[in-house]
Amino acid sequence: MGGCNAGTNSFCDDEIWCASVIPVCEQVKPLRILPLRFILRSAGLNFPGFSGATWHGGLGMILAQQSPTAFRSLYQTNQESRLYALLPTMESSVPIGGVLELRVTLFGAGVDHALAVTQAIAELGRIGMRPGGYYEMIESRIIHPDEEITFMSEKAGFLSVPRALTTQDYLTSDSTLINACRMKIVTPLRIKEGNDLLRNAPGYSKVLRRIFSRIDQIAHVADEAPPFVKSMREEIYGEADRVVIKSSNISLHAMERRSARSGQQMQFNGIVGTIDYTGEMKYTLPLLKLASMTQLGGKTAFGFGGLEIEVSGQV
Protein backbone atom coordinates (compact mmCIF):
# COMPACT_ATOMS: atom_id res chain seq x y z
CA MET A 1 0.00 0.00 0.00
CA GLY A 2 1.35 3.43 -0.90
CA GLY A 3 2.52 5.59 1.95
CA CYS A 4 1.61 9.12 2.86
CA ASN A 5 2.66 11.43 5.66
CA ALA A 6 0.07 14.11 5.01
CA GLY A 7 -2.20 14.96 7.89
CA THR A 8 -2.43 13.47 11.36
CA ASN A 9 -4.91 11.40 13.33
CA SER A 10 -6.48 13.12 16.31
CA PHE A 11 -9.55 13.20 18.51
CA CYS A 12 -11.94 16.13 18.53
CA ASP A 13 -11.97 18.31 21.63
CA ASP A 14 -15.70 17.64 22.20
CA GLU A 15 -15.01 13.89 22.51
CA ILE A 16 -16.62 13.14 19.15
CA TRP A 17 -14.22 11.58 16.69
CA CYS A 18 -14.01 13.80 13.64
CA ALA A 19 -12.86 13.43 10.06
CA SER A 20 -9.22 13.97 10.98
CA VAL A 21 -8.93 10.38 12.22
CA ILE A 22 -8.09 9.51 8.61
CA PRO A 23 -4.86 10.99 7.22
CA VAL A 24 -5.62 13.36 4.36
CA CYS A 25 -3.88 11.86 1.35
CA GLU A 26 -4.73 11.84 -2.32
CA GLN A 27 -2.69 8.67 -2.91
CA VAL A 28 -4.41 6.44 -0.33
CA LYS A 29 -8.18 6.35 0.10
CA PRO A 30 -9.87 5.65 3.46
CA LEU A 31 -10.91 2.03 3.95
CA ARG A 32 -14.38 1.55 2.51
CA ILE A 33 -16.98 -0.64 4.20
CA LEU A 34 -20.51 -1.68 3.21
CA PRO A 35 -22.47 -3.82 5.69
CA LEU A 36 -25.49 -5.42 3.98
CA ARG A 37 -28.33 -7.12 5.85
CA PHE A 38 -30.57 -9.52 3.95
CA ILE A 39 -34.00 -10.33 5.42
CA LEU A 40 -35.08 -13.76 4.20
CA ARG A 41 -38.22 -15.91 4.40
CA SER A 42 -37.57 -19.60 4.86
CA ALA A 43 -39.21 -22.19 2.63
CA GLY A 44 -37.98 -24.83 5.06
CA LEU A 45 -34.26 -24.46 5.84
CA ASN A 46 -32.38 -27.24 7.58
CA PHE A 47 -28.59 -27.25 7.99
CA PRO A 48 -26.52 -30.13 9.38
CA GLY A 49 -24.85 -27.69 11.79
CA PHE A 50 -23.50 -24.16 11.68
CA SER A 51 -24.53 -22.79 8.28
CA GLY A 52 -21.57 -20.49 7.57
CA ALA A 53 -19.73 -22.86 5.22
CA THR A 54 -22.95 -23.58 3.30
CA TRP A 55 -23.63 -19.88 2.74
CA HIS A 56 -20.00 -19.31 1.79
CA GLY A 57 -20.06 -22.10 -0.79
CA GLY A 58 -23.48 -21.22 -2.18
CA LEU A 59 -22.68 -17.53 -2.64
CA GLY A 60 -19.38 -18.39 -4.32
CA MET A 61 -21.06 -20.85 -6.68
CA ILE A 62 -23.62 -18.29 -7.89
CA LEU A 63 -21.04 -15.51 -8.24
CA ALA A 64 -18.75 -17.80 -10.27
CA GLN A 65 -21.64 -18.51 -12.65
CA GLN A 66 -23.22 -15.08 -12.91
CA SER A 67 -20.51 -12.55 -12.04
CA PRO A 68 -16.96 -13.85 -12.57
CA THR A 69 -15.48 -10.42 -11.85
CA ALA A 70 -17.13 -10.30 -8.43
CA PHE A 71 -16.09 -13.90 -7.79
CA ARG A 72 -12.45 -13.14 -8.52
CA SER A 73 -12.47 -10.04 -6.33
CA LEU A 74 -14.16 -11.69 -3.36
CA TYR A 75 -13.13 -15.36 -3.52
CA GLN A 76 -9.87 -15.81 -5.39
CA THR A 77 -7.65 -14.48 -2.62
CA ASN A 78 -6.14 -15.85 0.58
CA GLN A 79 -8.91 -17.14 2.86
CA GLU A 80 -7.89 -14.90 5.75
CA SER A 81 -7.71 -11.73 3.65
CA ARG A 82 -10.94 -11.76 1.69
CA LEU A 83 -12.77 -8.52 1.08
CA TYR A 84 -15.97 -9.66 2.75
CA ALA A 85 -17.26 -11.11 6.00
CA LEU A 86 -20.35 -13.28 6.25
CA LEU A 87 -22.61 -13.52 9.30
CA PRO A 88 -25.40 -16.15 9.30
CA THR A 89 -27.75 -17.20 12.05
CA MET A 90 -26.63 -19.88 14.49
CA GLU A 91 -29.99 -21.63 14.04
CA SER A 92 -29.71 -24.92 12.18
CA SER A 93 -33.41 -25.06 11.32
CA VAL A 94 -35.86 -22.35 10.25
CA PRO A 95 -39.48 -23.49 9.61
CA ILE A 96 -41.47 -22.59 6.52
CA GLY A 97 -42.46 -18.93 6.73
CA GLY A 98 -39.90 -18.18 9.40
CA VAL A 99 -37.81 -15.04 8.96
CA LEU A 100 -34.02 -15.09 9.23
CA GLU A 101 -31.18 -12.67 8.56
CA LEU A 102 -27.91 -12.96 6.71
CA ARG A 103 -25.29 -10.23 6.81
CA VAL A 104 -22.54 -9.76 4.24
CA THR A 105 -20.07 -6.93 4.83
CA LEU A 106 -17.93 -5.82 1.89
CA PHE A 107 -14.58 -4.02 2.10
CA GLY A 108 -12.45 -2.01 -0.32
CA ALA A 109 -13.00 -3.01 -3.94
CA GLY A 110 -15.49 -5.59 -2.69
CA VAL A 111 -18.09 -2.84 -2.22
CA ASP A 112 -18.22 -2.40 -6.00
CA HIS A 113 -19.93 -5.80 -6.20
CA ALA A 114 -22.80 -5.11 -3.81
CA LEU A 115 -25.48 -5.56 -6.49
CA ALA A 116 -23.90 -8.78 -7.75
CA VAL A 117 -23.84 -10.15 -4.19
CA THR A 118 -27.47 -9.13 -3.63
CA GLN A 119 -28.59 -10.80 -6.85
CA ALA A 120 -26.57 -13.91 -5.99
CA ILE A 121 -28.20 -14.21 -2.55
CA ALA A 122 -31.64 -13.90 -4.15
CA GLU A 123 -30.79 -16.50 -6.82
CA LEU A 124 -29.34 -18.92 -4.26
CA GLY A 125 -32.69 -18.94 -2.47
CA ARG A 126 -34.49 -19.70 -5.72
CA ILE A 127 -32.33 -22.68 -6.71
CA GLY A 128 -31.83 -23.84 -3.14
CA MET A 129 -28.80 -24.74 -1.02
CA ARG A 130 -27.59 -28.31 -0.66
CA PRO A 131 -27.65 -28.95 2.22
CA GLY A 132 -29.99 -26.29 3.44
CA GLY A 133 -33.06 -25.70 1.35
CA TYR A 134 -34.93 -22.77 -0.14
CA TYR A 135 -35.84 -19.25 0.87
CA GLU A 136 -37.09 -15.94 -0.56
CA MET A 137 -35.54 -12.52 -0.11
CA ILE A 138 -37.83 -10.00 1.59
CA GLU A 139 -35.54 -6.98 1.86
CA SER A 140 -31.93 -5.90 1.43
CA ARG A 141 -30.61 -3.13 3.67
CA ILE A 142 -27.48 -1.07 4.23
CA ILE A 143 -26.47 -0.85 7.89
CA HIS A 144 -25.56 2.78 8.51
CA PRO A 145 -24.16 3.81 11.91
CA ASP A 146 -27.52 5.19 13.08
CA GLU A 147 -30.09 3.55 10.81
CA GLU A 148 -30.74 0.89 8.20
CA ILE A 149 -31.69 1.88 4.66
CA THR A 150 -33.62 -0.50 2.40
CA PHE A 151 -32.24 -0.56 -1.14
CA MET A 152 -34.20 -3.59 -2.43
CA SER A 153 -37.53 -5.21 -1.52
CA GLU A 154 -39.54 -8.10 -2.95
CA LYS A 155 -42.44 -5.74 -3.76
CA ALA A 156 -40.60 -2.72 -5.17
CA GLY A 157 -37.42 -4.32 -6.54
CA PHE A 158 -34.23 -2.26 -6.44
CA LEU A 159 -34.81 1.17 -4.94
CA SER A 160 -31.28 2.55 -5.07
CA VAL A 161 -27.64 1.64 -5.64
CA PRO A 162 -25.87 0.74 -2.36
CA ARG A 163 -23.16 3.29 -1.59
CA ALA A 164 -20.26 2.52 0.67
CA LEU A 165 -19.16 4.33 3.77
CA THR A 166 -15.70 4.39 5.30
CA THR A 167 -14.58 2.91 8.59
CA GLN A 168 -14.36 6.41 10.05
CA ASP A 169 -18.13 6.80 9.62
CA TYR A 170 -18.54 4.12 12.30
CA LEU A 171 -15.99 5.65 14.67
CA THR A 172 -18.23 8.12 16.46
CA SER A 173 -18.67 8.28 20.22
CA ASP A 174 -21.50 9.51 22.41
CA SER A 175 -21.00 12.51 24.64
CA THR A 176 -22.17 10.31 27.53
CA LEU A 177 -19.22 8.71 29.32
CA ILE A 178 -19.43 4.92 28.95
CA ASN A 179 -17.89 2.81 31.68
CA ALA A 180 -19.25 -0.67 30.96
CA CYS A 181 -20.30 -2.80 28.01
CA ARG A 182 -21.19 -6.37 27.13
CA MET A 183 -19.64 -8.12 24.16
CA LYS A 184 -21.80 -10.95 22.85
CA ILE A 185 -19.94 -13.46 20.69
CA VAL A 186 -22.79 -14.65 18.48
CA THR A 187 -20.84 -16.94 16.14
CA PRO A 188 -17.68 -18.86 17.09
CA LEU A 189 -14.67 -16.61 17.64
CA ARG A 190 -11.30 -18.03 16.63
CA ILE A 191 -8.36 -16.19 18.14
CA LYS A 192 -4.99 -17.87 18.48
CA GLU A 193 -2.47 -17.52 21.28
CA GLY A 194 0.72 -18.93 19.85
CA ASN A 195 -0.35 -22.10 18.06
CA ASP A 196 -3.40 -22.73 20.23
CA LEU A 197 -6.92 -21.37 19.92
CA LEU A 198 -8.11 -19.18 22.78
CA ARG A 199 -10.63 -21.03 24.96
CA ASN A 200 -11.26 -18.40 27.65
CA ALA A 201 -12.67 -14.89 27.70
CA PRO A 202 -10.17 -12.53 26.03
CA GLY A 203 -9.16 -9.43 27.96
CA TYR A 204 -10.28 -6.06 26.65
CA SER A 205 -6.77 -5.02 25.65
CA LYS A 206 -6.31 -8.25 23.68
CA VAL A 207 -9.60 -7.65 21.86
CA LEU A 208 -8.62 -4.08 20.94
CA ARG A 209 -5.27 -5.18 19.55
CA ARG A 210 -6.94 -7.92 17.52
CA ILE A 211 -9.41 -5.36 16.16
CA PHE A 212 -6.55 -3.21 14.90
CA SER A 213 -4.86 -6.28 13.39
CA ARG A 214 -8.07 -7.21 11.61
CA ILE A 215 -8.63 -3.70 10.22
CA ASP A 216 -4.97 -3.34 9.20
CA GLN A 217 -5.15 -6.67 7.35
CA ILE A 218 -8.29 -5.67 5.45
CA ALA A 219 -6.83 -2.25 4.59
CA HIS A 220 -3.60 -3.84 3.32
CA VAL A 221 -5.46 -6.21 1.00
CA ALA A 222 -7.80 -3.42 -0.14
CA ASP A 223 -4.88 -1.01 -0.66
CA GLU A 224 -6.78 1.58 1.34
CA ALA A 225 -5.98 3.46 4.55
CA PRO A 226 -7.07 2.17 7.98
CA PRO A 227 -8.28 4.62 10.62
CA PHE A 228 -5.46 5.71 12.92
CA VAL A 229 -1.87 5.33 11.81
CA LYS A 230 0.05 3.13 14.22
CA SER A 231 1.89 6.04 15.83
CA MET A 232 -1.44 7.46 17.05
CA ARG A 233 -2.71 4.32 18.82
CA GLU A 234 -0.88 4.45 22.14
CA GLU A 235 -3.59 6.49 23.86
CA ILE A 236 -6.18 3.95 22.75
CA TYR A 237 -4.06 1.02 23.96
CA GLY A 238 -3.48 2.79 27.27
CA GLU A 239 -7.21 3.14 27.84
CA ALA A 240 -7.81 -0.49 26.87
CA ASP A 241 -5.19 -1.71 29.33
CA ARG A 242 -7.23 -0.19 32.19
CA VAL A 243 -10.52 -1.91 31.24
CA VAL A 244 -11.11 -5.21 33.06
CA ILE A 245 -13.44 -8.20 32.80
CA LYS A 246 -16.27 -7.93 35.33
CA SER A 247 -17.85 -11.28 34.43
CA SER A 248 -18.04 -13.73 31.55
CA ASN A 249 -19.99 -16.72 30.34
CA ILE A 250 -17.92 -18.40 27.63
CA SER A 251 -18.13 -21.88 26.15
CA LEU A 252 -16.32 -23.74 23.37
CA HIS A 253 -18.35 -24.42 20.25
CA ALA A 254 -16.99 -27.35 18.23
CA MET A 255 -18.02 -28.24 14.68
CA GLU A 256 -16.83 -30.18 11.68
CA ARG A 257 -17.00 -29.46 7.98
CA ARG A 258 -15.88 -31.37 4.93
CA SER A 259 -13.15 -29.61 2.99
CA ALA A 260 -14.02 -29.37 -0.71
CA ARG A 261 -10.31 -29.08 -1.46
CA SER A 262 -8.96 -32.10 0.46
CA GLY A 263 -12.15 -34.14 0.86
CA GLN A 264 -11.37 -34.58 4.57
CA GLN A 265 -13.40 -33.72 7.64
CA MET A 266 -11.94 -30.69 9.39
CA GLN A 267 -12.72 -29.50 12.91
CA PHE A 268 -13.37 -25.84 13.58
CA ASN A 269 -13.65 -24.69 17.16
CA GLY A 270 -14.37 -21.26 18.57
CA ILE A 271 -15.75 -19.59 21.67
CA VAL A 272 -19.25 -18.17 22.06
CA GLY A 273 -20.98 -16.38 24.92
CA THR A 274 -20.82 -13.04 26.68
CA ILE A 275 -18.15 -10.92 28.35
CA ASP A 276 -18.88 -7.90 30.54
CA TYR A 277 -16.13 -5.28 30.57
CA THR A 278 -15.86 -2.32 32.95
CA GLY A 279 -13.69 0.79 32.81
CA GLU A 280 -13.51 4.03 30.86
CA MET A 281 -14.19 3.45 27.15
CA LYS A 282 -14.06 6.94 25.69
CA TYR A 283 -11.81 6.03 22.75
CA THR A 284 -12.15 2.26 22.57
CA LEU A 285 -15.89 1.53 22.49
CA PRO A 286 -16.34 2.89 18.93
CA LEU A 287 -13.70 0.39 17.79
CA LEU A 288 -15.66 -2.47 19.35
CA LYS A 289 -18.75 -1.28 17.49
CA LEU A 290 -16.75 -1.18 14.25
CA ALA A 291 -15.57 -4.74 14.94
CA SER A 292 -19.20 -5.83 15.11
CA MET A 293 -19.31 -4.90 11.40
CA THR A 294 -15.93 -6.31 10.34
CA GLN A 295 -16.13 -9.39 12.62
CA LEU A 296 -13.06 -10.66 14.39
CA GLY A 297 -10.57 -13.52 14.39
CA GLY A 298 -10.19 -16.24 11.77
CA LYS A 299 -12.63 -17.63 9.19
CA THR A 300 -14.84 -14.53 8.99
CA ALA A 301 -15.63 -15.42 5.36
CA PHE A 302 -17.26 -18.59 6.76
CA GLY A 303 -19.36 -16.68 9.30
CA PHE A 304 -17.07 -16.83 12.32
CA GLY A 305 -16.29 -14.01 14.74
CA GLY A 306 -19.70 -12.33 14.87
CA LEU A 307 -19.99 -9.76 17.67
CA GLU A 308 -22.76 -7.66 19.20
CA ILE A 309 -21.91 -4.78 21.52
CA GLU A 310 -24.33 -3.64 24.22
CA VAL A 311 -23.65 -0.57 26.36
CA SER A 312 -24.46 -1.52 29.94
CA GLY A 313 -23.07 1.39 31.94
CA GLN A 314 -23.33 5.17 31.54
CA VAL A 315 -22.44 8.06 33.86
Side-chain angles (χ1 to χ4, degrees), residues 38 40 55 59 62 66 102 115-128 134-138 140 152 158:
F38 301 107
L40 312 173
W55 286 106
L59 175 60
I62 300 298
Q66 298 187 350
L102 174 72
L115 290 182
V117 169
T118 301
Q119 292 170 331
I121 295 295
E123 178 65 10
L124 182 60
R126 189 187 68 81
I127 67 171
Y134 298 84
Y135 61 87
E136 298 173 330
M137 184 178 290
I138 301 173
S140 303
M152 193 281 285
F158 279 101

Coordinates of all heavy atoms in Angstrom, one line a residue, residues 38 40 55 59 62 66 102 115-128 134-138 140 152 158:
F38 N -29.5 -8.9 4.8 CA -30.6 -9.5 4.0 C -31.6 -10.2 4.9 O -31.3 -11.0 5.7 CB -30.0 -10.6 3.0 CG -28.9 -10.0 2.1 CD1 -27.6 -10.3 2.3 CD2 -29.2 -9.2 1.1 CE1 -26.6 -9.7 1.5 CE2 -28.3 -8.6 0.2 CZ -26.9 -8.9 0.4
L40 N -34.7 -12.6 5.0 CA -35.1 -13.8 4.2 C -36.3 -14.5 4.8 O -36.4 -14.5 6.0 CB -33.9 -14.7 4.1 CG -32.6 -14.1 3.7 CD1 -31.5 -15.2 3.7 CD2 -32.6 -13.5 2.3
W55 N -23.4 -21.2 3.3 CA -23.6 -19.9 2.7 C -22.4 -19.4 1.9 O -22.5 -18.9 0.8 CB -23.9 -18.8 3.8 CG -25.3 -18.9 4.4 CD1 -25.6 -19.4 5.7 CD2 -26.5 -18.6 3.8 NE1 -27.0 -19.3 5.9 CE2 -27.5 -18.8 4.8 CE3 -26.9 -18.0 2.6 CZ2 -28.9 -18.6 4.5 CZ3 -28.2 -17.8 2.3 CH2 -29.2 -18.0 3.3
L59 N -22.9 -18.9 -2.1 CA -22.7 -17.5 -2.6 C -21.6 -17.6 -3.7 O -21.7 -17.0 -4.8 CB -22.3 -16.5 -1.5 CG -21.9 -15.1 -2.0 CD1 -23.1 -14.5 -2.7 CD2 -21.5 -14.3 -0.7
I62 N -22.8 -19.2 -7.1 CA -23.6 -18.3 -7.9 C -22.8 -17.2 -8.5 O -22.9 -16.8 -9.7 CB -24.8 -17.7 -7.1 CG1 -25.7 -18.8 -6.5 CG2 -25.6 -16.8 -7.9 CD1 -26.3 -19.7 -7.6
Q66 N -22.5 -16.3 -12.4 CA -23.2 -15.1 -12.9 C -22.4 -13.8 -12.9 O -22.7 -12.9 -13.7 CB -24.5 -14.8 -12.0 CG -25.5 -16.0 -12.1 CD -26.8 -15.6 -11.4 OE1 -26.8 -14.6 -10.7 NE2 -27.8 -16.4 -11.5
L102 N -29.3 -12.7 7.1 CA -27.9 -13.0 6.7 C -27.2 -11.6 6.5 O -27.8 -10.8 5.8 CB -27.9 -13.8 5.4 CG -26.5 -14.0 4.8 CD1 -25.7 -15.0 5.6 CD2 -26.6 -14.5 3.4
L115 N -24.3 -5.1 -5.7 CA -25.5 -5.6 -6.5 C -25.3 -7.0 -6.9 O -26.3 -7.8 -6.9 CB -25.7 -4.7 -7.7 CG -26.2 -3.2 -7.4 CD1 -26.4 -2.5 -8.7 CD2 -27.5 -3.2 -6.6
A116 N -24.1 -7.4 -7.3 CA -23.9 -8.8 -7.7 C -24.1 -9.7 -6.6 O -24.7 -10.8 -6.7 CB -22.5 -8.9 -8.3
V117 N -23.6 -9.3 -5.4 CA -23.8 -10.1 -4.2 C -25.3 -10.2 -3.9 O -25.8 -11.3 -3.5 CB -23.0 -9.6 -3.0 CG1 -23.4 -10.2 -1.7 CG2 -21.5 -9.7 -3.2
T118 N -26.0 -9.1 -3.9 CA -27.5 -9.1 -3.6 C -28.2 -10.0 -4.6 O -29.1 -10.8 -4.2 CB -28.0 -7.7 -3.7 OG1 -27.3 -6.9 -2.8 CG2 -29.5 -7.7 -3.4
Q119 N -27.9 -9.9 -5.9 CA -28.6 -10.8 -6.8 C -28.2 -12.3 -6.6 O -29.1 -13.2 -6.8 CB -28.2 -10.3 -8.3 CG -28.8 -9.0 -8.6 CD -28.2 -8.4 -9.9 OE1 -27.1 -8.7 -10.3 NE2 -29.0 -7.6 -10.6
A120 N -27.0 -12.5 -6.2 CA -26.6 -13.9 -6.0 C -27.3 -14.5 -4.8 O -27.7 -15.7 -4.8 CB -25.1 -14.0 -5.8
I121 N -27.5 -13.7 -3.7 CA -28.2 -14.2 -2.5 C -29.6 -14.5 -2.9 O -30.2 -15.6 -2.5 CB -28.1 -13.2 -1.4 CG1 -26.7 -13.0 -0.9 CG2 -29.0 -13.6 -0.3 CD1 -26.1 -14.2 -0.3
A122 N -30.3 -13.7 -3.7 CA -31.6 -13.9 -4.2 C -31.7 -15.2 -5.0 O -32.6 -16.0 -4.8 CB -32.2 -12.7 -4.9
E123 N -30.8 -15.3 -5.9 CA -30.8 -16.5 -6.8 C -30.5 -17.8 -6.1 O -31.1 -18.8 -6.3 CB -29.7 -16.3 -7.9 CG -29.6 -17.5 -8.9 CD -30.8 -17.7 -9.7 OE1 -31.8 -16.9 -9.7 OE2 -30.9 -18.8 -10.4
L124 N -29.6 -17.7 -5.0 CA -29.3 -18.9 -4.3 C -30.6 -19.4 -3.6 O -30.8 -20.6 -3.4 CB -28.2 -18.6 -3.2 CG -27.8 -19.7 -2.3 CD1 -27.2 -20.9 -3.2 CD2 -26.7 -19.2 -1.3
G125 N -31.4 -18.5 -3.1 CA -32.7 -18.9 -2.5 C -33.6 -19.6 -3.5 O -34.4 -20.5 -3.1
R126 N -33.6 -19.1 -4.7 CA -34.5 -19.7 -5.7 C -34.1 -21.1 -6.1 O -34.9 -22.0 -6.2 CB -34.5 -18.8 -7.0 CG -35.5 -19.2 -8.0 CD -35.4 -18.4 -9.3 NE -34.2 -18.7 -10.0 CZ -34.1 -19.8 -10.8 NH1 -35.1 -20.7 -10.9 NH2 -32.9 -20.1 -11.4
I127 N -32.8 -21.3 -6.3 CA -32.3 -22.7 -6.7 C -32.1 -23.6 -5.5 O -32.1 -24.8 -5.7 CB -31.0 -22.6 -7.6 CG1 -29.9 -22.1 -6.7 CG2 -31.2 -21.7 -8.7 CD1 -28.5 -22.3 -7.4
G128 N -32.0 -23.0 -4.3 CA -31.8 -23.8 -3.1 C -30.4 -24.2 -2.8 O -29.5 -24.3 -3.7
Y134 N -34.5 -23.9 0.7 CA -34.9 -22.8 -0.1 C -35.4 -21.6 0.8 O -35.8 -21.8 1.9 CB -36.1 -23.2 -1.1 CG -35.7 -24.3 -2.1 CD1 -35.8 -25.6 -1.7 CD2 -35.3 -23.9 -3.3 CE1 -35.4 -26.6 -2.6 CE2 -35.0 -24.9 -4.3 CZ -35.0 -26.3 -3.8 OH -34.7 -27.3 -4.7
Y135 N -35.4 -20.4 0.2 CA -35.8 -19.2 0.9 C -36.1 -18.2 -0.2 O -35.8 -18.3 -1.3 CB -34.8 -18.7 1.9 CG -33.5 -18.3 1.2 CD1 -33.3 -17.0 0.7 CD2 -32.4 -19.2 1.1 CE1 -32.1 -16.7 0.1 CE2 -31.2 -18.9 0.5 CZ -31.1 -17.6 0.0 OH -29.9 -17.2 -0.6
E136 N -36.8 -17.1 0.3 CA -37.1 -15.9 -0.6 C -36.5 -14.7 0.1 O -36.5 -14.6 1.4 CB -38.6 -15.8 -0.8 CG -39.3 -16.9 -1.5 CD -40.8 -16.8 -1.5 OE1 -41.3 -16.2 -0.5 OE2 -41.4 -17.2 -2.4
M137 N -36.1 -13.7 -0.7 CA -35.5 -12.5 -0.1 C -36.7 -11.5 0.1 O -37.5 -11.3 -0.8 CB -34.5 -11.9 -1.0 CG -33.8 -10.7 -0.4 SD -32.5 -10.0 -1.5 CE -31.2 -11.3 -1.3
I138 N -36.8 -11.0 1.3 CA -37.8 -10.0 1.6 C -37.3 -8.6 1.4 O -37.9 -7.8 0.7 CB -38.3 -10.2 3.0 CG1 -38.9 -11.5 3.3 CG2 -39.3 -9.1 3.4 CD1 -39.2 -11.8 4.7
S140 N -33.4 -6.1 1.3 CA -31.9 -5.9 1.4 C -31.7 -4.5 2.0 O -32.2 -3.5 1.4 CB -31.3 -6.1 0.1 OG -31.6 -7.3 -0.5
M152 N -33.5 -2.6 -1.6 CA -34.2 -3.6 -2.4 C -35.3 -4.3 -1.6 O -35.1 -4.6 -0.4 CB -33.2 -4.6 -3.0 CG -33.8 -5.5 -4.1 SD -34.9 -6.8 -3.6 CE -33.7 -8.0 -3.0
F158 N -35.3 -3.1 -6.9 CA -34.2 -2.3 -6.4 C -34.7 -0.8 -6.3 O -35.3 -0.2 -7.3 CB -33.1 -2.4 -7.4 CG -32.2 -3.6 -7.2 CD1 -32.4 -4.7 -8.0 CD2 -31.3 -3.6 -6.2 CE1 -31.6 -5.8 -7.8 CE2 -30.5 -4.8 -6.0 CZ -30.7 -5.9 -6.8

